[in-house]
Amino acid sequence: MSDAVKPPEALPSPPGPVHLVGAGPGDVELLTLAAVRAIKHADVILYDHLVGPGVLEFARPGVELIPVGKRAGRHSLKQVEINALLLEQAFTGRRVVRLKGGDPMMFGRAGEEAAYLRRHGIEVTVVPGVTAALGCAASSQIPLTLRGVSRSVQFVTAHCMDDDATNAMDWSKLANPDGTLAIYMGRTQLPYFSAKLIEAGLSPDTPAAAIENGTLPTERRCFATLSTLAARAAAELGDGPTLVIIGHVIDHRPKEVRTGEEASQANTCRLFEHA
Ligand SMILES: C[S@@+](CC[C@H](N)C(=O)[O-])C[C@H]1O[C@@H](n2cnc3c(N)ncnc32)[C@H](O)[C@@H]1O
């Protein structure tokens, strides 16, 4: 990461800390108590587009809310600009929260932001969040591991999967019939990585699922096989954030958890409706 952007010259008050906070996968009920507390105490919140509805309502009146999120095909701040903005805000002496969808340390570039801030002398704290794979697995009632079926789960990003670095990926490590794959940012790359996994030895009939807007009332799911998921997801899902799960655990979800939006209405994890 380039350090090209310099911190402000004047230091009006002691800097930092910056709190990197996970907002969970979407459903506001999945925020942690620590996340709610951090949001409530913030003077300024820099947030991503994946932060779910209702989350920012915990913020105090008058808090400065700064959207910095990335969304495929839409303008957003570059990572160096976000880093610089975080640093600038930390140097104001205000309580700064950097709010990210899911867990900040899971495919969220929190590691880069934290390293940048620490290099500039800013203390960083991290509040974990429920990552998308766990939220989607819960709302679809797919056990990510299951005795006798899956002994491991791998979290993988499909972002830039067809670039040179990923071409060098050891696909045999991912093509494990006794494990589960949870693939982030994988919608557009589905045809590519399905073909690679099949080439590496995973059966084309391996159960596969794509879950869009997991844990939200708009959740939609598509259940298929490794060889059919790409076409089914393209036909049945929209352009919301989508998590792909591959593995035999998918067949162990309850029968009522079906493909489609209507099914999701009955099954999303609205915990407090049942309390
Ligand atoms: C940049 S990554 C951020 C992941 C996030 N830090 C986490 O822990 O969930 C964004 C990807 O996470 C997945 N994702 C995030 N929220 C999701 C949701 N509610 N339903 C399905 N997938 C989701 C999608 O694969 C999306 O492209």
Side-chain angles (χ1 to χ4, degrees), residues 87-242:
L87 190 60
E88 190 184 306
Q89 292 299 331
F91 275 118
T92 65
R94 295 194 293 172
R95 286 168 292 206
V96 183
V97 162
R98 171 71 172 106
L99 194 57
K100 290 168 174 282
D103 181 87
M105 308 301 256
M106 183 73 91
F107 305 128
R109 304 192 76 166
E112 291 168 42
E113 290 173 11
Y116 178 85
L117 290 166
R118 281 194 304 263
R119 273 205 303 281
H120 289 88
I122 306 295
E123 188 196 337
V124 172
T125 70
V126 180
V127 175
V130 175
T131 190
L134 304 188
C136 291
S139 65
S140 306
Q141 298 194 39
I142 296 170
L144 288 174
T145 62
L146 188 64
R147 244 176 352 139
V149 179
S150 172
R151 292 149 56 92
S152 64
V153 53
Q154 299 189 71
F155 301 97
V156 185
T157 176
H159 190 54
C160 301
M161 225 182 203
D162 50 3
D163 67 12
D164 286 347
T166 333
N167 274 331
M169 185 182 270
D170 184 351
W171 290 92
S172 66
K173 288 211 174 102
L174 297 180
N176 172 13
D178 303 321
T180 306
L181 289 178
I183 302 173
Y184 290 69
M185 297 175 268
R187 263 302 291 284
T188 54
Q189 302 289 342
L190 252 171
Y192 177 80
F193 71 69
S194 304
K196 284 286 187 188
L197 288 171
I198 292 169
E199 205 179 292
L202 204 57
S203 164
D205 296 329
T206 307
I211 298 145
E212 180 187 19
N213 295 329
T215 77
L216 290 167
T218 50
E219 176 174 324
R220 277 199 282 195
R221 318 185 186 103
C222 177
F223 294 112
T225 65
L226 184 54
S227 63
T228 59
L229 186 67
R232 289 275 307 277
E236 293 172 22
L237 300 184
D239 64 357
T242 300

